[in-house]
Amino acid sequence: MRHPPRSVLLAAAGAVALVTSVVVPVVSAQGATPACTVEYAVTSQWDNGFQGSVKITNNQAALGSWTLTFDFAGGQKVTQGWNAKWSQSGTAVTAANESWNGTLGTGASISAGFLASWSGSNAAPAVFKLNGTTCNVDSEPTTPPPTTPPPSGGTAPALHVSGNKLVDAGGATRRLLGVNRSGGEFMCVQGYGIWDGPVDDAAVKAIADWKANAVRIPLNEECWLGLANIKPEYGGANYISAVKELVSRVEAHGMTPILELHWSYGQYTGNSAGCSDVHATCQKPMPDLQYSPSFWSSVASTFKGDQAAVFDLFNEPYPDRATSSVTDAWKCWRDGGSCPGISYEVAGMQDLVDSIRATGAKNVIMAGGLAYSNDLSQWTAYKPADPAGNLAAAYHVYNFNTCSSESCWNSTLAPVAAQVPLIAGEIGENTCSHGFVDQVMKWFDNHNLSYLGWTWNTWDCSSGPSLISAYDGTPTAYGTGLRDHLRALDP
């Protein structure tokens, strides 16, 4: 779903921070500023891997190019990274500038991040050198503290795909019926917080009281990766910690969390562009190769021990708006690369599935089709290969979409649903009523399929559209339809 104007969404939001240890730049005993400083942080850590970041500040003459070097002492191995060309030989790690960020003026800073494996210990590097000059002179490195462990799973069931159904560990079918909880995709990148409104236990319980059993949680890749344009208090470790805490609360109330990449990096100014910004401030037509695979590697590593969590690859792809060729659009969707009409290198759905599975995560994966996930007409022909066999089709439908009639659902959705689980990650209407979603829910009920209403936020019901007028679960006229329907369904 595209979002209403900022004025509608402005709200205070907070999150419990996960404090990470860093190598803090200090002034030397003589009072001189070090030639360069490097702040190193572990932003997330799991059983055999972690996500790290470095912030380099140049305090000497301006540099036209830069190379950062340091040694790992605990058996760590860099596997991928961003904002720098990362390499490792033995214990020696090198991060060299990309073609677009080589200039580092006096007093200027640059941030870069990476994913790495570790075993035994995960001590911070002791010495950093920028173009051969030792940084952080007179500073003492510290070891990152243990990070919050992945959620244990609460009472939400572990899920996997069996034929065209989602089932729990005992083989019982589970339809995902619930709501979207928007905020994590836009508050952080706009600099206002992490969530839009409360996400404490009382707020999550209010969702469960509607008899929802699933909550879809939109995320922002720049915030998760802690890129330089995100305020530190809302990005990286703090953002990841807040997401993990919300997932734990959702699962503690027996609900399935669906973690979804909503807003991503990459400049697109073509047909139906949501913004001209290169940053993750609006819906882009496709995920980007520069950051999206790293995002999913980190998310999957964080939650791979929690089979209750579901991964939704990308909110609403629309490569079909960038090209007049439907075949090119579907190829772009699956394979990525250089796509017609899209200026940045695209990560296809196969790239993202591969990034997730490379971590060992076997979680259920959802993949939405073209036309903002409203077109599944060739989904089965182009579906990504999943070695874990845990792939589901994602679909979005609103009253103003092209495929919003029973005849379209019968002709395009039913064949897909016969092969794989089909989950309507977003259903909604902009009428401030529920006549349309009533029709959607009836059809999906008759076919034993899953659906989640957009959205559990206190916005205007037409511009949102919003299910609630208060976070205690008070429904709007539109939300009443979903609430009453969920409560009336058999357990």
Side-chain angles (χ1 to χ4, degrees), residues 94-371:
T94 300
N97 66 270
E98 296 278 10
S99 60
W100 45 268
N101 65 358
T103 301
L104 196 58
T106 304
S109 299
I110 186 75
S111 294
F114 62 91
L115 300 179
S117 60
W118 70 285
S119 60
S121 67
N122 193 15
V127 178
F128 297 88
K129 292 184 178 181
L130 181 64
N131 290 5
T133 299
T134 302
C135 302
N136 299 338
V137 176
D138 294 343
S139 67
E140 291 295 327
T142 58
T143 301
T147 57
T148 306
S152 61
T155 60
L159 297 176
H160 66 276
V161 171
S162 177
N164 66 343
K165 305 293 183 188
L166 289 178
V167 298
D168 63 19
T173 299
R174 182 166 174 101
R175 297 167 66 202
L176 302 184
L177 304 168
V179 302
N180 285 263
R181 182 63 180 89
S182 181
E185 73 275 38
F186 66 84
M187 288 292 285
C188 55
V189 75
Q190 293 173 354
Y192 293 103
I194 294 178
W195 307 116
D196 177 42
V199 291
D200 58 10
D201 188 70
V204 174
K205 181 180 182 297
I207 298 175
D209 286 346
W210 276 30
K211 301 303 180 187
N213 72 3
V215 179
R216 184 167 173 264
I217 304 169
L219 300 176
N220 185 299
E221 69 182 16
E222 291 188 337
C223 300
W224 181 281
L225 295 173
L227 300 190
N229 57 301
I230 306 298
K231 291 181 179 178
E233 58 266 38
Y234 306 140
N238 294 330
Y239 186 85
I240 293 169
S241 178
V243 172
K244 289 164 71 172
E245 288 165 6
L246 178 54
V247 165
S248 293
R249 292 189 192 108
V250 166
E251 293 183 353
H253 286 279
M255 297 185 290
T256 297
I258 302 174
L259 297 165
E260 173 259 318
L261 174 55
H262 207 86
W263 283 359
S264 54
Y265 183 89
Q267 189 169 42
Y268 174 72
T269 57
N271 185 30
S272 300
C275 62
S276 59
D277 192 358
V278 69
H279 290 297
T281 57
C282 69
Q283 184 64 48
K284 305 298 171 68
M286 282 293 290
D288 62 293
L289 195 60
Q290 187 166 339
Y291 295 120
S292 298
S294 296
F295 166 86
W296 275 118
S297 291
S298 180
V299 172
S301 295
T302 301
F303 290 100
K304 66 182 179 180
D306 177 14
Q307 283 290 117
V310 172
F311 301 151
D312 189 352
L313 293 179
F314 191 65
N315 178 45
E316 293 183 343
Y318 59 99
D320 49 299
R321 298 296 181 95
T323 176
S324 58
S325 168
V326 174
T327 298
D328 284 347
W330 277 107
K331 286 181 178 178
C332 174
W333 179 85
R334 183 188 62 196
D335 302 329
S338 298
C339 293
I342 301 176
S343 59
Y344 57 89
E345 283 291 298
V346 167
M349 297 301 140
Q350 189 66 63
D351 294 318
L352 302 185
V353 171
D354 293 347
S355 293
I356 291 169
R357 296 302 182 224
T359 70
K362 294 183 170 23
N363 304 61
V364 172
I365 293 175
M366 296 164 54
L370 303 188

Side-chain angles (χ1 to χ4, degrees), residues 1-27:
M1 178 69 187
R2 274 84 67 207
H3 294 274
R6 176 69 222 147
S7 59
V8 175
L9 303 181
L10 182 57
V16 179
L18 170 65
V19 179
T20 57
S21 181
V22 297
V23 180
V24 181
V26 296
V27 176

